[in-house]
Amino acid sequence: MVEARDPLVEARKQLRRAIDLLGYPDYIYEVLAEPERVIQVKIPVKTSDGVKVFIGWRSQHNSALGPYKGGVRYHPNVTMNEVIALSMWMTWKNSLAGLPYGGGKGGVRVNPKMLTPRELEELSRRYFEAISDFVGVDLDIPAPDVYTDPQVMAWYFDEYSRIKRGIYPGVVTGKPPELGGLKARIVATGYGVAVAVREAARRLLGGLEGKTVAVQGFGNVGYYTAKYLAEMGAKVVAVSDSRGGIYLPEGLDPDEVLAVKRREGSVIHYPKAKKKVSPMEVLELDVDILVPAAIEGVITEENAGRIKARLIAEGANGPTTTEAERILTERGIIVLPDILVNAGGVIMSHIEWVNNRMGGWITDEEALRKLESKMSENVRYVLSYWEKKLEVDKHPVRDAAYMIAVERVVNAMKLRGWI
Ligand code: GLU
């Protein structure tokens, strides 16, 4: 992988651009470039070989539209700036999706693979305890992100309910179905990416049927994106994980690849693969559609010139740098931005949260239908705005997405009398 950039620098560049395009004065940039609050916590965990100390954060970027909302990631390289950038992206994502949420994000600097299940539980409970006065059903609602899952959410929910002496399933989303979560939450981000790609392909590529796809990253988002795109008629020809990638021009079966990954630890052991490639080479394959669904900062000015896909859908948060996007736009390659296409997870989170607060029992089918229509509508709206208000050969779709998202947040701040 390429050296990681500071995601906050990228996030601020994107904000700056939106402010300029909207013709807003500088102070609006100043207000939005910083989060409203960042909480840093120390998390000591007793392990079999002594006490280990971890650092965690919760960044609450903006609450003009509603309670802060966004996931918590566990990763050995998480930094405070990354968490702040991700919380800013959540503000735009939630605004653009039309959800009554502000933006937040959490992170703990830990390699969860090095912890026993009991240590992971301890870490999760202590993290949530440490931030418990700053989260809440109507205040800040965490959810899963990189390396956190429904079990971690169950511990958060339980710990919070214990501390606050009540039962508060709505304080986190992405819970197991037994605790008020939706099974559909697991597939939601990838399903949403696939729906968004289908909608955009209809408009921009003459349909999805038979189009070739490469997916970088085969975690939750990458796998479900590949699975649903294949079901919708696209041909997934390449996928990769952190160990490497595989290429099969006839098209591969994402379920078979997942079985191999589960059994042998990586997609590279898929026996039918014609060619092995590196995770970075996956980005440069000759395909119609590319889905970076792994980590930030993988499409840079260094490799943007070699990308062959016509359409890129950002399954991950922040995979394309500003400079890379400029090169791609010049080359006529369309990037569907993260804040638009990977909002399926948080849209489903909202459905879960509403359901919890009503004490309801929505079915997964109904929830997925709602997600599908919301995502298709959002993609159509953003693409129409882009075509109507901007010169499409000079402006990436992200410009349109940011203008819509930032304007809504600014209007909310004005109405509330903040600015
Ligand atoms: N972590 C996901 C994201 O980055 C989902 C957040 C949520 O469901 O609140 O969008």
Side-chain angles (χ1 to χ4, degrees), residues 69-71 90 93 105 141 143-145 173 185 317 342 345-346 349:
K69 182 86 188 87
M90 286 311 301
K93 191 187 297 191
K105 198 83 169 200
I141 307 126
D145 198 76
T173 57
R185 176 67 182 78
N317 290 316
N342 75 26
V346 72
S349 277

Side-chain angles (χ1 to χ4, degrees), residues 58 68-73 86 89-90 93-94 101 104-105 141-146 148 173-174 185 189 315 317 338 342-350:
R58 182 74 186 169
Y68 309 100
K69 182 86 188 87
V72 178
R73 66 173 53 180
L86 288 159
W89 282 324
M90 286 311 301
K93 191 187 297 191
N94 294 333
Y101 284 147
K105 198 83 169 200
I141 307 126
D145 198 76
V146 176
T148 52
T173 57
R185 176 67 182 78
T189 308
N317 290 316
D338 45 9
N342 75 26
V346 72
I347 293 171
M348 189 58 81
S349 277
H350 180 258

Side-chain angles (χ1 to χ4, degrees), residues 318-337:
T320 314
T321 65
T322 307
E323 188 50 29
E325 191 162 51
R326 194 187 54 72
I327 297 167
L328 295 170
T329 306
E330 258 172 36
R331 297 183 56 222
I333 298 170
I334 295 166
V335 181
L336 298 174

